[in-house]
Amino acid sequence: ETIPSSVMILDALTRTIPDAAYLTEFSLQNATVRIVGLASDAPALIAPLEKSGQFADVHFFAPTTRSADGLSYMFHIEGRVTPGPAARK
């Protein structure tokens, strides 16, 4: 009850991740969200996710690798979903 729905989490991710990056996988298990995708600057995704207030302890859970085209990097990021405003009261 204290964790936002997967739709709300996905909405927060789409508002936080830059348009130049995109997700290929999204997983939510309890309070842990995992995303996999491609971005030109994968390390630059961590800080905005943390600053969004929706996620904490954001980190890579697998190595970031260069894609076949050589222009982007495949990232694997994991974080803990923070409780919504109603749960924080």
Side-chain angles (χ1 to χ4, degrees):
E1 293 179 13
T2 60
I3 298 172
S5 73
S6 57
V7 172
M8 293 173 66
I9 294 167
L10 192 54
D11 181 58
L13 286 170
T14 58
R15 283 185 278 111
T16 305
I17 294 175
D19 291 340
Y22 67 93
L23 301 182
T24 58
E25 295 179 37
F26 168 79
S27 170
L28 177 63
Q29 295 180 347
N30 298 320
T32 301
V33 64
R34 283 186 164 192
I35 56 173
V36 177
L38 293 167
S40 59
D41 186 8
L45 301 175
I46 301 290
L49 288 167
E50 286 260 348
K51 289 179 185 174
S52 73
Q54 299 289 321
F55 311 99
D57 304 323
V58 180
H59 59 276
F60 292 104
F61 68 90
T64 299
T65 57
R66 190 180 298 266
S67 66
D69 66 9
L71 301 174
S72 56
Y73 294 88
M74 178 169 271
F75 61 84
H76 300 78
I77 295 175
E78 175 179 88
R80 184 175 42 84
V81 177
T82 58
R88 289 186 213 134
K89 291 181 181 180

